[in-house]
Amino acid sequence: MAKYAVIINGDREGRHLQNVERAGAELAKSGFSLYVASPQKPELPTDQYVPANKRDVAGLLESLRGRMGPDDELVIYTTGHGAESGMCLEDGCNTENIVAELDHLPYSKRVVVMDQCFGGNFTGRFVDDPRTLFVSAGSKDETVCCGEFAPRFWAADVPDLNGDGVVSFAERHANVMAQGVWQSVPRFVPTEGYIQDGAAPFENKVIVVEDEGSLNEQLKRLKPGQYAIMTFSTTWCGPCRTYKPIFDEFAEDGNGQHLWLRTESEDLASAWGITGYPTIMIIDGQGNRHEVDRNNVLSEISEVGTSLADRARLLRKKFSDADPAIRANAVYGYGRLADKLSPEELAEGAKALRAMFADSEPEVLRVVASAYGELAKKFLPKEKTEAEKALRAMFTDSDSGVRFTAAMAYCSLLLLEKTETCVKALKMMFANDVAEVRMAAVIAYGQLADANKLSPEELAEGARVLRTMFEDGLPGVRSVAVSSYDNFTNNLSPEELAESAKALRAMFADSEPQVRRLAVFAYHYITPKLSSEEAMEGAKALRVMFADSEPEVKKIAVSVYYNIAIAYNLSPEELAEGAKALRTIFADSEPEVRRLAVSLYHRIAHELSPEELAEGAKALRVMFADSEPEVRKIAVSVYYNIAIAYNLSPEELAEGAKALRVMFADSDPEVRKIAVSVYHYITPKLSPEELAEGAKALRAMFADSDREVQLNAILAYGRIKGMEVLKTMFASGGDLEEFAKRSFCRLIKDLSSEEVKKYAKDIIAMLTDSNPEVRWAAISACVGKKFASTISTEVVNEVAGIFRTLFADRDQTVRRDAVYSYGRFAKKSNWRFSREEMARGSSALRVMFADADPEIRERSTYSYVELAHNLSPEELAEGAKALRAMFADSDATVRLRAVTAYVELAHHFSPEELAEGAKALRAMFADSEPQIYDAAMKACIKLQLSGKLPPGEELENVREF
């Protein structure tokens, strides 16, 4: 079981970058491979790093999904900012697709830690799986304080409370709660099948409590993040008697993760306010309780929490704290509760906030303005007017943050008005002398557009108004104008889009890097709607930005250029210029820019001239010595693609081969492995002199510390020196012998027919080698088309016989591959099995239908189907019976495959057999798996339509369905 950790941070603030470092360090100590998306590459080593934008994060998750399997352990940690629409990345917070991709990663056990505002909103997304632990820094709809949660949760000195030598996530959560968290209520939600690391905290049985004292003694055992699940029953209650063994089974199957309690004391039930039986309560370590549906006991843990009124009172109490940071955080938390507070609490909160308008600290005043705006949305019209007046008075505050926050709060109140009234007021604010007021108005205007509240005419007018603000004297105003602009572009006319594109291109030269970056993003959003002429102009302008002084601007410029190059048929002249520009940034100081530049060069290579590709190959060779392993890897890979796909000159290939040989000594094993692989593939184009040097260098790598590198080196060596040289290594022992034999098997496909016949005996001998890796490689070689179609019929049957003996191999992987490959070998050898071999093989495969390994049971049906058209009626009758027996297999995948195989062979079966098959298939309509029910239904219909069912066996229930 491998252990993978995905860390996603969408914000470049120091506290969030530090969260990445903390979490990564602790997870690495526990053996997790680290896959990180963040605006800045972390200092700690990672297995893969990408920038925190939607495209790169999606790519990271796609590649990770290809690596992971259902037996792996997964930790997901997200930090940075959050919004109600999702976790925030650098290019926006609308990340539902990313969250869905995270949720679809395979695993056997999963921990999800959401450390950003509104992280608690994702509880429902992740806790619908029984093998998950969900932790969030706050509850539903809550904002959070990174300074409270992350440093404590990911601390290096979290106490091992139970002394078992393992710091579990429950103990990390307990460390957070032990030091006090007041701004939010962290959630710790283990689902039914999640087993925490280390020793189980409780017994796998129900403990009976008889009174308040014994109950309190048990509840004292709970630590933060732990829950008691208690059933209130009576001796006379019939449903209680029915439910008792079910509850006991829950406890027995619970792996000691929760404290299971039962009472039949009516006095205790009455003291707890219980009025019906059985009643199930979930209780946490703070005494919070929640009544749950007895059929969904564990799924409702997330609803246990602190009372809203108590939290509101606690926050108001901190409004007068001597520490400004505490006052600010308290006000911020209070503002986020506004939608849930009672009218009475709102009145108290508003009164307390108005008293804080005289606070001397700007950081406090900012959150006061924001929180007051949130509360004001709930005020009566007259009180709301007073609130607007109070917020407008803050527009002239000496602190720009206060001015902006007050303006944003004021705009949030305007958004509650009728759209026409709101638009009129916002446009008036566009001309305000205070820059922060203009910025807030632009943001609010964009929110109206995003909410689809503006007419097409108003959207067009809004786009024109915002374009005038692209020239505002203050960078902040220009930034928000550009970032809001994409909300206005959905329904613009071609003429308006052309004007938009032109205005955005003009901003590519803005003096402010943030404005340039946002302008390129905005241009990216409208590229699908642009004319070819505008796309060409955009490509030219983006090329100029490849030399931008800011790495972030260069990155986005390269990415958008790539999108335009793919979507539009850029002229050969433009692509030639683009290729030149990309080559200039192969030497950029920023590794990520270099990586993106090489990737894009690869994508457009098929459009480039031989002369340009020759220059590109030279430039890529220089990058073989790049300081960053990731850049070296991609440079070598792209060089290989160019070398294989295009006719590079012998001189260039000679230089490339020399450069690759230098990389054979690279410090990164992955780079060495790729370099050797590329050398292997270009060997047919190299001179004898170079091959002699290459063989010498490859020979030195036989002792490499990395097994994959060793294998690749021996494979390439064998390609150069030939099969006879590899055979001399067969008696070497250890890894050298294994790799020589595996390389021999892999190279057989590249030989002539005469050479295949010559070395067939060597391959056959390896089928019974003592090393399972060699046996597996030999099986793969035998099912290769070249080998199977070239060897004689006598040898074909010899190999088939050995395959059958491998059905009982001591190595599970070999057994699986032998069973699956038997049928493929029959097909690849043009069905040259003898009648006797067919009979023995089909009989042996039927035996495997009942193997203990479900994957072998499934794979054996594939091979059986391949043989079917050469089998006797008697054998097919036995096969049909055996497949029907598999309809009741304990494994759903096997059942589904058995139904599919039965239908594929149905035309071989007798009417009597089909009648039995139809009956067995009808029984599967009650299968618990919807896909099997569906397959059985379709199979029945196919049998009905075949016309082979005997009279009286019409499938009435199929017609009903």
Side-chain angles (χ1 to χ4, degrees):
M1 180 180 74
K3 301 170 84 172
Y4 294 87
V6 180
I7 301 176
I8 299 178
N9 165 39
D11 185 67
R12 61 182 55 253
E13 288 183 38
R15 54 182 175 146
H16 296 138
L17 297 175
Q18 189 59 39
N19 289 349
V20 173
E21 301 287 350
R22 289 190 188 100
E26 289 302 295
L27 291 167
K29 281 198 300 188
S30 299
F32 283 86
S33 300
L34 302 181
Y35 294 79
V36 178
S38 183
Q40 180 177 306
K41 188 172 183 179
E43 294 179 6
L44 78 162
T46 62
D47 293 82
Q48 188 173 348
Y49 162 78
V50 297
N53 60 66
K54 296 173 191 174
R55 182 173 66 85
D56 283 330
V57 173
L60 172 72
L61 299 180
E62 182 179 355
S63 67
L64 189 55
R65 192 164 55 247
R67 291 189 183 94
M68 293 181 64
D71 296 325
D72 294 331
E73 185 173 349
L74 171 65
V75 171
I76 298 168
Y77 173 60
T78 65
T79 186
H81 292 301
E84 290 172 297
S85 58
M87 62 180 184
C88 295
L89 298 177
E90 284 198 287
D91 50 353
C93 301
N94 188 12
T95 51
E96 175 57 25
N97 289 342
I98 299 294
V99 175
E101 289 298 315
L102 282 169
D103 193 27
H104 291 152
L105 290 174
Y107 57 88
S108 63
K109 177 180 179 180
R110 174 176 70 172
V111 177
V112 181
V113 184
M114 308 289 285
D115 179 17
Q116 70 270 319
C117 297
F118 303 103
N121 292 12
F122 292 92
T123 308
R125 158 71 76 175
F126 290 103
V127 299
D128 58 354
D129 183 277
R131 301 157 299 162
T132 295
L133 167 63
F134 180 84
V135 184
S136 64
S139 300
K140 188 174 186 298
D141 293 331
E142 279 191 334
T143 54
V144 301
C145 177
C146 300
E148 291 183 340
F149 180 85
R152 300 171 188 172
F153 191 86
W154 297 114
D157 57 350
V158 171
D160 178 11
L161 298 174
N162 60 5
D164 63 355
V166 177
V167 175
S168 67
F169 284 95
E171 287 165 333
R172 292 189 178 281
H173 175 72
N175 193 51
V176 173
M177 302 303 289
Q179 299 181 55
V181 176
W182 52 264
Q183 180 166 315
S184 60
V185 179
R187 308 304 297 145
F188 185 92
V189 187
T191 54
E192 184 175 359
Y194 176 80
I195 309 300
Q196 73 176 38
D197 295 331
F202 305 109
E203 304 88 339
N204 287 357
K205 65 179 183 180
V206 176
I207 296 172
V208 176
V209 294
E210 297 180 351
D211 53 30
E212 193 80 34
S214 59
L215 173 58
N216 289 336
E217 281 300 311
Q218 291 298 327
L219 295 180
K220 285 178 184 176
R221 300 172 62 189
L222 296 177
K223 296 179 176 63
Q226 296 178 347
Y227 296 88
I229 302 172
M230 182 168 177
T231 176
F232 293 83
S233 305
T234 67
T235 54
W236 48 261
C237 163
C240 297
R241 288 194 293 272
T242 304
Y243 187 67
K244 183 176 180 179
I246 298 172
F247 193 75
D248 288 347
E249 188 175 349
F250 282 162
E252 290 166 7
D253 295 342
N255 296 294
Q257 301 302 296
H258 304 293
L259 177 60
W260 298 84
L261 304 173
R262 175 188 292 112
T263 186
E264 292 182 342
S265 165
E266 293 183 56
D267 290 340
L268 183 54
S270 177
W272 277 60
I274 304 300
T275 57
Y277 303 96
T279 292
I280 314 301
M281 284 276 189
I282 293 177
I283 310 155
D284 68 14
Q286 288 74 48
N288 301 304
R289 60 184 79 171
H290 183 70
E291 182 177 337
V292 297
D293 176 3
R294 62 175 177 262
N295 297 314
N296 297 288
V297 172
L298 294 173
S299 64
E300 297 190 39
I301 287 178
S302 60
E303 296 302 319
V304 179
T306 309
S307 113
L308 190 63
D310 284 346
R311 280 164 56 202
R313 281 195 293 273
L314 179 60
L315 289 168
R316 275 197 286 111
K317 186 176 180 182
K318 293 180 181 288
F319 287 3
S320 56
D321 194 279
D323 187 335
I326 291 177
R327 297 200 300 277
N329 286 328
V331 171
Y332 187 70
Y334 194 89
R336 300 312 299 166
L337 296 179
D339 286 343
K340 306 171 187 175
L341 300 178
S342 66
E344 295 76 18
E345 178 55 48
L346 274 172
E348 290 297 323
K351 182 178 176 183
L353 287 170
R354 282 197 299 274
M356 297 183 77
F357 282 4
D359 198 289
S360 60
E361 292 292 334
E363 67 173 291
V364 177
L365 276 177
R366 292 171 205 160
V367 289
V368 166
S370 178
Y372 192 71
E374 289 298 316
L375 264 64
K377 294 176 185 178
K378 300 289 184 180
F379 291 172
L380 296 173
K382 182 180 177 182
E383 293 167 322
K384 193 158 66 176
T385 301
E386 289 299 315
E388 290 172 356
K389 182 178 177 182
L391 290 168
R392 283 199 305 273
M394 300 175 82
F395 288 0
T396 56
D397 193 274
S398 60
D399 181 82
S400 63
V402 173
R403 296 195 298 271
F404 179 69
T405 308
M408 285 299 299
Y410 180 82
C411 288
S412 71
L413 297 181
L414 289 180
L415 291 172
L416 300 175
E417 305 290 343
K418 290 182 179 179
T419 301
E420 297 81 1
T421 305
C422 180
V423 168
K424 184 178 178 181
L426 290 173
K427 286 182 177 177
M428 290 176 63
M429 293 173 71
F430 290 169
N432 196 290
D433 291 338
V434 178
E436 292 80 9
V437 173
R438 299 200 297 277
M439 289 166 61
V442 170
I443 293 169
Y445 199 43
Q447 289 171 346
L448 279 177
D450 191 40
N452 297 315
K453 291 186 176 181
L454 301 181
S455 66
E457 296 76 19
E458 182 56 48
L459 284 170
E461 173 63 23
R464 286 191 286 274
V465 171
L466 287 177
R467 286 203 301 274
T468 65
M469 302 186 81
F470 289 178
E471 300 175 5
D472 194 279
L474 287 171
V477 177
R478 298 198 299 276
S479 292
V480 295
V482 175
S483 61
S484 298
Y485 194 74
D486 64 284
N487 292 319
F488 292 82
T489 59
N490 288 337
N491 296 301
L492 294 183
S493 67
E495 295 76 20
E496 278 290 335
L497 279 171
E499 290 298 319
S500 300
K502 197 183 296 182
L504 289 168
R505 276 195 284 111
M507 299 184 81
F508 290 180
D510 195 276
S511 60
E512 185 67 29
Q514 174 73 350
V515 175
R516 297 198 298 275
R517 190 175 70 83
L518 290 169
V520 176
F521 265 125
Y523 193 87
H524 164 66
Y525 286 124
I526 64 173
T527 48
K529 305 171 186 177
L530 299 179
S531 66
S532 298
E533 295 75 19
E534 174 54 46
M536 188 69 72
E537 293 299 320
K540 289 179 188 174
L542 288 165
R543 261 198 292 114
V544 173
M545 300 183 81
F546 292 179
D548 196 278
S549 59
E550 289 291 326
E552 292 300 318
V553 176
K554 278 187 283 200
K555 288 179 198 174
I556 186 66
V558 171
S559 298
V560 177
Y561 187 93
Y562 161 70
N563 291 330
I564 292 176
I566 296 300
Y568 295 89
N569 290 322
L570 296 181
S571 67
E573 295 77 17
E574 173 52 44
L575 288 173
E577 292 298 321
K580 284 182 192 171
L582 287 169
R583 280 194 282 111
T584 63
I585 53 175
F586 283 3
D588 193 272
S589 60
E590 180 70 27
E592 185 62 17
V593 173
R594 300 197 296 275
R595 189 187 69 79
L596 286 170
V598 174
S599 298
L600 177 51
Y601 194 91
H602 177 209
R603 295 289 187 173
I604 64 174
H606 63 285
E607 300 283 355
L608 302 178
S609 67
E611 294 76 18
E612 172 53 46
L613 288 172
E615 292 299 320
K618 287 180 191 173
L620 288 166
R621 269 197 288 112
V622 173
M623 300 182 80
F624 291 0
D626 195 278
S627 60
E628 289 291 325
E630 290 301 319
V631 176
R632 297 199 295 276
K633 289 177 200 174
I634 194 166
V636 174
S637 299
V638 175
Y639 186 90
Y640 159 70
N641 290 325
I642 291 176
I644 294 299
Y646 308 101
N647 290 320
L648 294 180
S649 68
E651 295 77 17
E652 173 53 46
L653 286 172
E655 291 299 320
K658 284 181 192 173
L660 287 168
R661 279 195 280 113
V662 171
M663 300 182 82
F664 290 178
D666 195 276
S667 60
D668 189 297
E670 189 67 21
V671 174
R672 298 198 299 275
K673 185 171 75 173
I674 295 172
V676 172
S677 296
V678 174
Y679 195 92
H680 170 206
Y681 284 112
I682 66 172
T683 50
K685 301 184 178 185
L686 301 179
S687 68
E689 294 78 16
E690 172 54 46
L691 290 174
E693 291 297 322
K696 193 186 300 180
L698 288 166
R699 182 92 194 178
M701 300 183 79
F702 291 0
D704 195 277
S705 60
D706 187 276
R707 280 174 55 85
E708 287 294 318
V709 175
Q710 285 179 314
L711 175 59
N712 282 9
I714 293 172
L715 180 65
Y717 185 81
R719 179 105 184 234
I720 295 171
K721 289 293 190 179
M723 304 292 266
E724 289 298 330
V725 172
L726 285 176
K727 285 182 67 175
T728 64
M729 300 163 65
F730 285 4
S732 303
D735 288 346
L736 190 61
E737 177 181 336
E738 175 194 328
F739 294 156
K741 289 179 177 178
R742 288 170 64 185
S743 297
F744 192 93
C745 292
R746 285 173 64 175
L747 290 173
I748 199 80
K749 68 182 187 304
D750 299 324
L751 303 182
S752 67
S753 296
E754 288 305 313
E755 288 175 310
V756 169
K757 291 176 183 176
K758 176 181 177 181
Y759 295 117
K761 288 184 179 178
D762 297 293
I763 296 293
I764 293 168
M766 289 185 218
L767 288 170
T768 55
D769 194 273
S770 61
N771 188 317
E773 293 285 345
V774 175
R775 298 199 295 277
W776 175 85
I779 292 171
S780 299
C782 288
V783 297
K785 187 174 182 180
K786 187 72 167 284
F787 185 91
S789 62
T790 300
I791 58 177
S792 67
T793 299
E794 181 183 357
V795 175
V796 164
N797 283 279
E798 180 186 355
V799 171
I802 297 173
F803 270 33
R804 280 191 287 104
T805 65
L806 294 175
F807 290 1
D809 195 275
R810 61 185 177 276
D811 184 86
Q812 186 181 52
T813 301
V814 173
R815 287 203 309 278
R816 288 175 176 176
D817 212 46
V819 167
Y820 185 61
S821 298
Y822 188 84
R824 291 171 63 209
F825 182 63
K827 184 177 181 180
K828 295 283 181 67
S829 64
N830 298 316
W831 312 107
R832 289 185 287 150
F833 286 13
S834 66
R835 288 181 180 275
E836 293 78 11
E837 181 56 45
M838 284 285 187
R840 292 190 191 104
S842 57
S843 178
L845 287 168
R846 277 194 287 105
V847 171
M848 306 303 284
F849 287 1
D851 193 272
D853 182 348
E855 192 167 335
I856 288 178
R857 299 199 297 273
E858 179 194 8
R859 288 184 173 206
S860 60
T861 65
Y862 286 99
S863 283
Y864 194 88
V865 169
E866 291 286 6
L867 301 182
H869 67 281
N870 290 305
L871 299 180
S872 67
E874 295 77 17
E875 171 54 46
L876 285 167
E878 293 299 318
K881 285 181 192 173
L883 285 171
R884 278 194 279 113
M886 296 175 81
F887 291 178
D889 195 278
S890 60
D891 186 276
T893 303
V894 175
R895 296 199 300 278
L896 183 61
R897 174 57 201 162
V899 170
T900 304
Y902 191 90
V903 173
E904 288 174 353
L905 299 179
H907 61 284
H908 294 292
F909 299 158
S910 67
E912 293 74 21
E913 171 53 46
L914 290 176
E916 291 298 320
K919 190 185 300 180
L921 287 166
R922 288 199 300 273
M924 298 182 81
F925 291 175
D927 196 281
S928 59
E929 294 288 336
Q931 65 205 45
I932 294 176
Y933 158 81
D934 186 55
M937 173 61 61
K938 290 175 180 175
C940 278
I941 292 171
K942 286 180 180 178
L943 295 187
Q944 179 74 58
L945 295 175
S946 71
K948 291 184 67 176
L949 290 175
E953 287 295 330
E954 292 82 2
L955 305 181
E956 295 295 339
N957 50 348
V958 171
R959 283 202 290 273
E960 288 171 18
F961 278 108

